[in-house]
Amino acid sequence: MSLAESAGTDHVCVVQLTDSHLFGGDSADLLGLDTLDSLNSVIDLVLGEIARMDLVLATGDITQDGSEDAYRRFIAASLRLPAPCHWIPGNHDDAALMQRLGAAAGMSRDWADIGNWRLVLLDSSVSGSVAGHLDERQLQRLDDAVATAGERHLLVCLHHHPVDIGCDWMQPIGLQNAEALFQRLYGQTAVKALLWGHVHQEFDDLRQGLRLLATPSTCVQFAAHSDDFATDTLAPGYRWLRLYDDGRIETEVSRLPPGSYLPDPGATGY
C-alpha cells in the first residue's frame, strides 16, 4: 500500500526531520555538503510521498553554527510543509535562542496532542557538551506529560540516543542519564516509543515493549556499526510515522536517490 492510499481517520501521520545542521552563511558546508540544499531536497521528497501529514517533528541539531539566520532558514523551509512543525534542540544548537524563536513561531512546546496521541518534546542538550543529559526540569516535564495524558498514547522525543546503537565512537556522546529516563518509562503501557536523532542513521529496536527509533539526517550520514567516526554513502532522508488510535505504530525511513549529497570521503570528524 502506498502512502497516498493509506490516508484514513484511524491514525495521524507524523514526519520526522532531524540533524539538518544549517548555517547562517551561504558559503559554509558540512563535510563538503550544502545542508540547506539537502534539507530542501528531503522536503521535496516528503511533499512527493506523503498524502496527508498532521505534524512535523525536528529532533535537534537544527543548525551547525547556532545562528539566528540558520534557524530562520529552517523555519522558512519547514513552512513549505502543510503541517505544524515543532522542534527540540541538539548539541549543536543554541537552546535559548531556539526557545525564543520557536515560541514566536509556535514551534517550541512541552508536548503536542494530536489525535489519540501525545508527543512529548524533551530537551537533552547541555551547553558546551556533545553528550546529552535530561535535567530535573525535563524529567518533571515527562512525568507531567504522562500523568495528564488521560487515555492518550505517548511518543517521547529527544535528540540524544538513550541506548547503545552499535557504534563505539558514539557511545560516550549519547544520553548520559538514560536509566533515569527508562525508570520512568518501564511499566508505563501508554508510552509506546522513544524517537531521537543525533546518530545520523536508521535504528529500530524493541526494549521491554518500548519501540526505539532513530532516523537518518537530512544531510551527512554516519556509518552503522563503526568503531571510529565514519560517514556513509547512503542518501539523506526522513522518517514517517503513522500513529494509530489503538496505539499501533507503522513507520519507515525514506531516502533521496542513491548517490545524492555524498560527503567528503576522507572526513575524520565534523
Side-chain angles (χ1 to χ4, degrees):
M1 178 183 294
S2 71
L3 291 179
E5 294 168 339
S6 71
T9 58
D10 63 342
H11 68 274
V12 292
C13 180
V14 174
V15 168
Q16 182 195 12
L17 304 173
T18 196
D19 295 271
S20 50
H21 290 273
L22 300 185
F23 296 88
D26 292 331
S27 60
D29 63 62
L30 184 67
L31 306 185
L33 193 152
D34 183 332
T35 56
L36 180 60
D37 194 53
S38 66
L39 172 63
N40 276 310
S41 292
V42 170
I43 289 175
D44 288 341
L45 182 65
V46 174
L47 290 169
E49 291 184 340
I50 306 295
R52 184 202 92 201
M53 67 193 78
D54 299 286
L55 191 71
V56 178
L57 289 175
T59 50
D61 282 358
I62 309 299
T63 72
Q64 176 71 8
D65 60 9
S67 69
E68 182 166 341
D69 284 347
Y71 289 116
R72 294 200 181 279
R73 287 181 164 189
F74 182 87
I75 292 170
S78 72
L79 289 174
R80 298 178 55 212
L81 295 167
C85 179
H86 299 317
W87 64 12
I88 53 177
N91 49 287
H92 284 276
D93 287 312
D94 182 327
L97 178 57
M98 276 185 70
Q99 177 64 33
R100 176 170 66 81
L101 296 174
M107 299 175 70
S108 296
R109 303 275 293 274
D110 288 353
W111 57 72
D113 291 337
I114 181 170
N116 281 13
W117 286 77
R118 171 167 288 181
L119 281 58
V120 187
L121 308 175
L122 301 179
D123 177 3
S124 60
S125 68
V126 179
S127 180
S129 171
V130 179
H133 182 88
L134 292 171
D135 64 23
E136 286 305 316
R137 293 171 300 170
Q138 299 301 313
L139 293 173
Q140 186 63 53
R141 176 185 298 182
L142 176 59
D143 290 343
D144 292 344
V146 172
T148 62
E151 298 300 313
R152 295 183 181 93
H153 313 290
L154 288 92
L155 172 67
V156 177
C157 311
L158 68 164
H159 178 67
H160 291 83
H161 53 295
V163 296
D164 184 355
I165 63 162
C167 288
D168 287 350
W169 70 276
M170 295 206 80
Q171 187 61 13
I173 61 172
L175 185 70
Q176 297 302 289
N177 62 333
E179 283 311 308
L181 173 63
F182 284 115
Q183 285 171 9
R184 284 165 164 79
L185 299 183
Y186 289 152
Q188 296 285 355
T189 57
V191 181
K192 303 301 183 183
L194 277 173
L195 178 70
W196 65 85
H198 193 49
V199 298
H200 291 232
Q201 60 192 269
E202 181 177 359
F203 184 84
D204 190 342
D205 203 0
L206 199 65
R207 182 169 176 175
Q208 294 194 27
L210 189 64
R211 190 89 174 263
L212 305 173
L213 299 166
T215 297
S217 165
T218 63
C219 60
V220 173
Q221 307 303 299
F222 295 158
H225 310 296
S226 53
D227 294 332
D228 302 309
F229 177 90
T231 60
D232 206 329
T233 56
L234 290 171
Y238 73 99
R239 179 182 291 280
W240 59 260
L241 304 99
R242 296 191 203 110
L243 307 179
Y244 285 86
D245 293 348
D246 62 4
R248 289 180 297 121
I249 297 175
E250 290 181 358
T251 183
E252 286 186 11
V253 162
S254 183
R255 294 181 185 268
L256 293 170
S260 302
Y261 297 102
L262 297 179
D264 292 335
T268 58
Y270 75 109

